[in-house]
């Protein structure tokens, strides 16, 4: 299996959060519909929205441009308005679309890193749930990205909304009346751990569970660098974010994960307690290895888009 990543030969320079009409269901369905080189007219005729006057296709064209911008598709003839085809599809074969999209967003360079850095910025709040007020989010983003000259963009409500809605649809966060819950869905967490390298000396892979005795620290390091933020600190002492610890505890209670720490193991990761008021050195759980079992056939272990399809 190849894990080689190849950027698209030509792609738009537009901010990823500037694709304010792009949504995960269309990204997933349109990407899944491509079988070899496909004319854009064929895609727009299939996914366009009929009206009394014409077929609306702007959302389809924007979806294709976003997929192109994150190196999921490119045009074989160099014209993304004419023909598209998948690229990088041999990497992590059988990986669901949701973690694949996150992986591709994390491979972007320069100013397009802003998309994944939104998650890191919100995780810096160290809370399970952060304020969903767009002014509060804007304050956090300006504070956490001020060091990056390429991020001198107006964090408009439209850009923030685009990020929140897309990330909620793929299971990275969820928005409630109380705020934005920073815990990823269990399906995403399980796929992330299964995808991560089993040890520091191995390349990342994707094999379906069960997977035995994964080195927990190295798996989390890989997830941090390639999928989404899991640590409160990127260097030094690796403290696991309480929102991530919550998901891991729930999955262990379900029998999907087994967390362990043999007495002579190194590179431990400390899990904060569920009651953060008791987060002292003696109340953190040491973990050095994780085993991942098969996914149960339960709604809690489905991605949000699959849950919607199941209940329609």
């Amino acid at each position: 299996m190849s894990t080689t990543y190849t950027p698209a030969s030509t792609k738009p320079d537009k901010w990823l959060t500037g694709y304010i009409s792009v949504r995960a269901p269309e990204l997933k369905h349109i990407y899944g519909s491509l079988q070899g080189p496909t004319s854009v007219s064929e895609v727009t005729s299939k996914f366009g929205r009929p009206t009394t006057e014409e077929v609306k296709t702007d959302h389809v064209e924007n979806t294709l441009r976003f997929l192109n911008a994150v190196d999921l598709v490119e045009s074989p003839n160099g014209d993304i308005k004419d023909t598209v085809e998948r690229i990088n599809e041999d990497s992590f074969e059988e990986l669901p679309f949701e973690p694949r999209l996150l992986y591709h967003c994390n491979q972007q360079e320069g100013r397009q890193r802003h998309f994944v850095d939104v998650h890191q910025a919100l995780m810096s709040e160290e809370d399970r749930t952060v304020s969903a007020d767009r002014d509060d989010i804007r304050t956090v983003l300006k504070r956490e990205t001020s060091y990056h000259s390429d991020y001198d963009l107006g964090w408009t409500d439209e850009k923030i909304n685009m990020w929140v809605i897309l990330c909620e649809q793929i299971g990275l966060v969820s928005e409630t009346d109380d705020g934005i819950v920073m815990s990823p869905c269990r399906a995403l967490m399980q796929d992330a751990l299964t995808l991560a390298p089993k040890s520091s000396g191995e390349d990342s892979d994707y094999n379906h569970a069960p997977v035995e005795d994964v080195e927990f620290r190295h798996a989390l390091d890989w997830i941090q660098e390639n999928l989404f933020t899991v640590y409160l600190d990127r260097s030094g002492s690796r403290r696991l974010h309480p929102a991530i610890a919550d998901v891991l505890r729930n999955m262990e209670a379900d029998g999907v994960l087994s967390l362990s720490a043999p007495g002579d193991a190194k590179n431990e990761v400390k899990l904060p307690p569920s009651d953060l008021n008791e987060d002292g050195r003696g109340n953190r759980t040491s973990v050095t290895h994780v085993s991942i079992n098969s996914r149960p056939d339960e709604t809690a272990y489905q991605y949000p888009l699959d849950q919607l399809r199941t209940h329609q």
Side-chain angles (χ1 to χ4, degrees):
M1 180 195 67
S2 169
T3 56
T4 302
Y5 185 91
T6 304
S9 56
T10 58
K11 56 184 182 179
D13 191 44
K14 183 177 180 178
W15 293 98
L16 294 182
T17 51
Y19 291 90
I20 58 176
S21 66
V22 167
R23 297 293 182 263
E26 288 159 343
L27 287 170
K28 186 173 183 176
H29 293 156
I30 290 175
Y31 176 78
S33 73
L34 301 177
Q35 303 295 325
T38 307
S39 68
V40 170
S41 60
E42 179 182 340
V43 180
T44 54
S45 65
K46 183 175 182 180
F47 292 97
R49 294 171 182 162
T51 68
T52 54
E53 299 179 355
E54 60 182 344
V55 176
K56 297 289 187 180
T57 62
D58 287 353
H59 65 289
V60 181
E61 293 161 359
N62 281 330
T63 296
L64 289 173
R65 292 189 187 102
F66 185 91
L67 291 170
N68 182 216
V70 296
D71 309 318
L72 281 166
V73 306
E74 69 177 359
S75 174
N77 63 8
D79 184 359
I80 198 64
K81 297 180 180 180
D82 179 59
T83 310
V84 293
E85 66 179 348
R86 293 187 190 182
I87 57 173
N88 293 306
E89 60 181 326
D90 291 337
S91 299
F92 313 130
E93 293 180 78
E94 300 184 45
L95 183 67
F97 178 79
E98 289 84 347
R100 183 180 296 278
L101 177 61
L102 281 175
Y103 178 78
H104 276 249
C105 288
N106 271 272
Q107 305 312 305
Q108 302 309 305
E109 298 178 348
R111 71 179 199 164
Q112 296 294 31
R113 287 286 306 174
H114 80 285
F115 189 90
V116 298
D117 284 346
V118 175
H119 186 251
Q120 181 186 340
L122 295 181
M123 291 287 271
S124 72
E125 295 294 275
E126 303 192 13
D127 294 324
R128 294 178 168 101
T129 301
V130 300
S131 171
D133 183 277
R134 292 342 189 209
D135 285 336
D136 292 342
I137 294 176
R138 204 166 4 252
T139 298
V140 174
L141 293 177
K142 289 180 179 179
R143 182 189 72 218
E144 294 297 320
T145 63
S146 60
Y147 65 92
H148 202 309
S149 60
D150 282 342
Y151 290 6
D152 186 19
L153 77 161
W155 288 106
T156 63
D157 284 358
E158 289 80 10
K159 288 187 175 72
I160 296 172
N161 290 343
M162 183 273 179
W163 186 91
V164 172
I165 293 170
L166 182 59
C167 289
E168 182 172 34
Q169 290 172 339
I170 64 176
L172 181 61
V173 299
S174 54
E175 187 169 14
T176 69
D177 292 340
D178 296 325
I180 299 176
V181 181
M182 301 306 296
S183 299
C185 73
R186 298 178 202 184
L188 179 58
M189 193 76 241
Q190 184 178 22
D191 279 331
L193 288 169
T194 306
L195 174 62
K198 298 177 179 61
S199 70
S200 57
E202 296 182 2
D203 293 329
S204 57
D205 199 348
Y206 184 72
N207 294 303
H208 293 291
V211 182
E212 299 293 333
D213 290 328
V214 174
E215 292 185 34
F216 193 48
R217 169 69 176 268
H218 297 304
L220 291 177
D221 286 353
W222 191 90
I223 294 169
Q224 171 91 14
E225 295 301 322
N226 291 281
L227 293 178
F228 52 86
T229 299
V230 296
Y231 293 123
L232 290 172
D233 305 305
R234 292 185 64 85
S235 60
S237 176
R238 293 292 203 181
R239 293 192 297 137
L240 199 65
H241 195 285
I244 303 298
D246 288 346
V247 179
L248 294 170
R249 269 191 295 267
N250 290 336
M251 295 174 72
E252 186 175 35
D254 292 340
V256 176
L257 297 181
S258 176
L259 305 173
S260 62
D264 59 349
K266 298 179 181 180
N267 292 324
E268 66 181 12
V269 176
K270 296 286 190 178
L271 267 68
S274 56
D275 185 351
L276 296 180
N277 293 323
E278 300 177 358
D279 188 13
R281 178 174 296 181
N283 292 318
R284 296 177 188 169
T285 303
S286 296
V287 179
T288 58
H289 288 81
V290 57
S291 295
I292 306 114
N293 298 320
S294 299
R295 181 173 301 166
D297 185 18
E298 298 175 3
T299 302
Y301 287 88
Q302 294 178 335
Y303 283 99
L305 295 181
D306 293 331
Q307 292 179 15
L308 288 172
R309 184 179 59 187
T310 300
H311 291 91
Q312 284 178 345

